[in-house]
Amino acid sequence: MLKLYGGARSRASIVQWYLEELGIPYEFVMLDMQAGEHRQPAYLAINPMGKVPAIVDGDLQLWESGAILLYLDEKYGKVQHSPEERAKMAQWVLFANSTLATGIFVEANREREMPRLMTPLNEILQRQLFLVGGKFSVADVAVGSILSFIPLMLKIDLSSHPAVFTYMKRLSERPAFQATIGSRK
């Protein structure tokens, strides 16, 4: 059975959300980050960086939430994607984990980057319900999870980006979201 390693209030919830969407059985291994379990040899053998999340799926050990999401989509996704669609999925997953997360959660960047990121994202979401191919995908898990952390952690007013707010609400109503990230509120 696939094992997902994470800590309380960690990015493991992003992976957990997608596992729930896919309906894949998994074991969640909660590491006590305060006690340093993520720095112990047993876990460092899975992720030498000592960060969460990580998964073990058979012989595969994989870390970094974006890489895990793309792997899960490729192996367990219900829809086969063209190379172009996979590239678009990867684009949004990488955007979420690097550009969007850094723009929102690095305080020194926030004032400058939030308008640069949220304005075009709002425009995109005014034209379409989801990010790739008109249907919910791993891209929405990646971007939606980062966006969902805004009200949980920062309390930033998003009223000037109504399409982003509507998108976040739409995603937050999904049962798999409610069972994972939504249960943290």
Side-chain angles (χ1 to χ4, degrees):
M1 177 183 294
L2 186 145
K3 289 185 179 185
L4 168 62
Y5 294 82
R9 298 186 136 343
S10 73
R11 284 188 181 211
S13 62
I14 299 168
V15 175
Q16 193 173 25
W17 175 18
Y18 197 47
L19 286 167
E20 291 288 332
E21 290 283 353
L22 293 171
I24 300 169
Y26 65 94
E27 176 187 346
F28 184 73
V29 180
M30 175 70 77
L31 298 175
D32 184 343
M33 308 291 279
Q34 297 295 324
E37 283 185 328
H38 60 303
R39 299 278 183 206
Q40 297 305 310
Y43 184 70
L44 292 173
I46 296 166
N47 181 354
M49 301 302 159
K51 302 282 188 180
V52 295
I55 64 166
V56 174
D57 189 18
D59 292 334
L60 177 69
Q61 297 176 341
L62 190 63
W63 38 275
E64 283 298 325
S65 62
I68 295 168
L69 290 176
L70 292 170
Y71 165 76
L72 293 173
D73 188 58
E74 185 76 20
K75 183 169 181 181
Y76 298 104
K78 295 171 174 81
V79 177
Q80 293 295 322
H81 303 294
S82 69
E84 294 81 5
E85 287 173 317
R86 282 195 306 274
K88 287 289 189 180
M89 302 284 182
Q91 169 189 275
W92 283 110
V93 170
L94 295 170
F95 166 80
N97 282 4
S98 60
T99 307
L100 186 61
T102 302
I104 292 171
F105 296 107
V106 176
E107 191 172 350
N109 297 340
R110 192 175 307 134
E111 187 176 332
R112 180 185 71 249
E113 290 299 314
M114 283 284 291
R116 289 181 186 173
L117 300 172
M118 298 304 267
T119 300
L121 186 57
N122 193 71
E123 291 169 5
I124 291 166
L125 292 169
Q126 284 174 336
R127 296 188 304 269
Q128 58 199 54
L129 294 176
F130 300 106
L131 295 172
V132 178
K135 59 191 175 299
F136 178 82
S137 72
V138 69
D140 298 297
V141 172
V143 172
S145 61
I146 298 299
L147 292 173
S148 74
F149 293 145
I150 293 172
L152 291 173
M153 300 169 74
L154 300 174
K155 313 295 188 225
I156 294 172
D157 179 21
L158 295 175
S159 61
S160 60
H161 308 290
V164 171
F165 182 79
T166 300
Y167 172 74
M168 291 168 58
K169 184 174 182 339
R170 182 179 322 107
L171 296 180
S172 73
E173 292 169 349
R174 298 181 68 84
F177 180 95
Q178 286 295 318
T180 55
I181 294 174
S183 68
R184 292 170 56 174
K185 293 182 179 183

